Amino acid sequence: MQVLCSDLEGVFVPEIWINVAEKTGIAALRLTTRDISDYDVLMKKRLGILAEHNLKLQDIQTVIAAMDPLPGAVDFLDGLRRRTQVIIVSDTFTQFARPLMEKLGWPTLFCNTLEVDADGTVRDYTLRQPDGKRKVVESLAALNYEIIAMGDSYNDLSMIQTADHGILFCPPDSILKEYPHLPVARSYAQLGTILEPLLK
């Protein structure tokens, strides 16, 4: 039995925080796990910016509701789900994900959650568990699954390297230089070519 674990943002949908940055004009919100490898440092920076600009959860959700999957993502994901089991393993939050999951046809999602005050102030975030992406792969492997993992950012690397087969999808140059041994796809067509001999 086989399971494919994939990141969400940058693989099937655009980066949420980059879209928020573009809509609000706050350039500092463009930083993602492609830029900062320490997720806690990144999230604390984001929370500080939200507080500084008095941005509420509803403001972010309005941006997300207008987002669409990346071109070709829905068809590619549908094709994968016809071939194997797929789990989206993301560092996004339950409060962000619903409209995106609907547009992707409701794939299974493992993610985190935000701590939000009654007025919509995002106070903090709660990880499902530390290094959750790697632990998903380890747990599935303990159930005797063969794991394929793919993603684009620093926070995907532990998942990718722990899996039986790991693939980078449109990663930044910094990751390519640090991990030149990992297979790389820059389009869904290339990703399909890499996956074809792995899917059973």
Side-chain angles (χ1 to χ4, degrees), residues 84-109:
T84 191
Q85 300 298 308
V86 177
I87 299 174
I88 305 297
V89 186
S90 174
D91 278 333
T92 193
F93 305 98
T94 55
Q95 294 91 341
F96 290 1
R98 187 176 180 84
L100 298 173
M101 293 301 100
E102 181 176 10
K103 291 176 181 179
L104 289 173
W106 299 111
T108 299
L109 172 69

Side-chain angles (χ1 to χ4, degrees), residues 2-198:
Q2 189 176 62
V3 177
L4 188 149
C5 296
S6 177
D7 183 33
L8 175 65
E9 296 174 64
V11 178
F12 294 119
V13 302
E15 294 283 350
I16 290 171
W17 290 98
I18 289 176
N19 275 263
V20 173
E22 290 175 352
K23 293 295 183 182
T24 61
I26 303 170
L29 286 176
R30 292 186 61 85
L31 294 173
T32 71
T33 50
R34 294 167 67 95
D35 308 297
I36 298 176
S37 59
D38 189 316
Y39 188 70
D40 187 58
V41 169
L42 177 61
M43 276 305 301
K44 285 179 177 174
K45 183 176 182 67
R46 288 168 171 168
L47 293 173
I49 294 168
L50 295 182
E52 178 185 350
H53 293 272
N54 197 33
L55 287 174
K56 307 294 188 184
L57 175 61
Q58 297 90 328
D59 299 315
I60 301 171
Q61 289 174 327
T62 297
V63 174
I64 295 169
M67 290 172 57
D68 288 315
L70 293 170
V74 174
D75 288 342
F76 187 79
L77 180 56
D78 286 348
L80 283 180
R81 294 169 73 190
R82 284 192 288 269
R83 299 283 302 278
T84 191
Q85 300 298 308
V86 177
I87 299 174
I88 305 297
V89 186
S90 174
D91 278 333
T92 193
F93 305 98
T94 55
Q95 294 91 341
F96 290 1
R98 187 176 180 84
L100 298 173
M101 293 301 100
E102 181 176 10
K103 291 176 181 179
L104 289 173
W106 299 111
T108 299
L109 172 69
F110 294 170
C111 67
N112 304 310
T113 190
L114 294 168
E115 297 178 23
V116 184
D117 292 338
D119 68 350
T121 298
V122 181
R123 180 165 36 86
D124 206 347
Y125 74 100
T126 301
L127 293 178
R128 184 175 46 78
Q129 60 184 151
D131 201 4
K133 294 190 176 192
R134 175 179 61 82
K135 289 179 180 175
V136 166
V137 172
E138 289 177 341
S139 297
L140 290 168
L143 296 173
N144 204 31
Y145 282 99
E146 178 185 8
I147 313 299
I148 302 169
M150 58 191 196
D152 70 320
S153 298
Y154 281 103
N155 65 328
D156 300 314
L157 288 169
S158 65
M159 172 176 75
I160 289 170
Q161 293 185 296
T162 305
D164 297 288
H165 312 283
I167 305 165
L168 292 169
F169 183 73
C170 297
D173 289 341
S174 57
I175 291 180
L176 287 177
K177 290 176 183 176
E178 292 176 50
Y179 300 89
H181 60 287
L182 293 173
V184 179
R186 296 198 172 277
S187 67
Y188 292 128
Q190 290 180 359
L191 186 55
T193 298
I194 294 171
L195 287 171
E196 182 58 36
L198 303 178

